[in-house]
Amino acid sequence: MYGNLSEVAETSGSLRGQSTDDSWILENLDATRCLGIVLVQRLPALSVLLLEGPLGAGKTSLVQGIATALGIREPITSPTYALAQHYPDGNPPLIHLDLYRLEQPSTANELFLQEEEEAQALGALMAVEWPDRLSLNLPEAWRLQLQHRAQGGRLAQFTSPATDPKNSSTCI
């Protein structure tokens, strides 16, 4: 669908790398989805990706890009009310959590741990929106923070796990 991601990003001007390979300016939602596709190449099997950012920052749009890269064809919507969506047809499968409505950390922790166990059993990638609802220490998790920019668009900052010896890789 997107062809060569670097070409798409360069020709559209919508996905621009910053001074490091782990920070991008996303000019629109298509660029946010494209970044999701790119990130799949960087995430090892059985990864947990924590998606941080305010309402409307593009977390679900990013997961739509991830799903595209995994070959998932069904529509990806925010699981705000369902809390979790499973997409077993992906390669690997995808589990998408949205913890926004869970105000008690113990409830968020319980759901996360149940879904993490399921993700491990399925060999799935797990994307978690609103991880600030958790009180768990997750040093092995990857993080993507999305922020609105005053100049328009979004700033995306990707952080590898504290336990990752490489601590970064280049992709774009």
Side-chain angles (χ1 to χ4, degrees):
M1 177 173 169
Y2 287 95
N4 180 316
L5 296 177
S6 296
E7 272 180 27
V8 169
E10 290 170 13
T11 59
S12 70
S14 59
L15 178 66
R16 294 185 287 148
Q18 290 298 285
S19 59
T20 70
D21 292 327
D22 295 332
S23 181
W24 301 270
I25 293 173
L26 308 171
E27 294 181 0
N28 54 45
L29 288 179
D30 285 338
T32 305
R33 290 182 189 103
C34 185
L35 180 58
I37 293 169
V38 169
L39 290 180
V40 166
Q41 298 171 9
R42 296 182 75 170
L43 296 169
L46 297 171
S47 292
V48 173
L49 176 61
L50 304 178
L51 302 171
E52 302 166 339
L55 284 170
K59 295 179 292 292
T60 299
S61 295
L62 187 104
V63 175
Q64 290 169 344
I66 289 170
T68 297
L70 299 178
I72 297 168
R73 297 193 177 170
E74 66 182 283
I76 305 299
T77 58
S78 177
T80 300
Y81 294 102
L83 302 177
Q85 296 285 359
H86 289 222
Y87 302 97
D89 294 335
N91 185 18
L94 174 65
I95 295 178
H96 182 196
L97 297 181
D98 187 330
L99 305 176
Y100 181 73
R101 294 183 338 137
L102 301 178
E103 295 180 16
Q104 297 296 322
S106 61
T107 305
N109 292 348
E110 183 178 335
L111 176 64
F112 174 85
L113 293 170
Q114 288 172 351
E115 295 296 335
E116 183 183 41
E117 185 176 323
E118 180 78 13
Q120 289 175 356
L122 293 172
L125 170 66
M126 196 161 116
V128 182
E129 296 188 36
W130 299 98
D132 58 316
R133 303 294 202 253
L134 297 166
S135 62
L136 299 170
N137 181 20
L138 300 170
E140 70 285 352
W142 297 76
R143 296 178 184 274
L144 183 78
Q145 183 167 32
L146 293 161
Q147 301 172 337
H148 295 286
R149 296 177 64 233
Q151 308 88 332
R154 295 160 179 80
L155 175 64
Q157 295 177 295
F158 185 61
T159 308
S160 58
T163 58
D164 182 22
K166 295 177 288 187
N167 204 25
S168 72
S169 63
T170 57
C171 189
I172 295 181

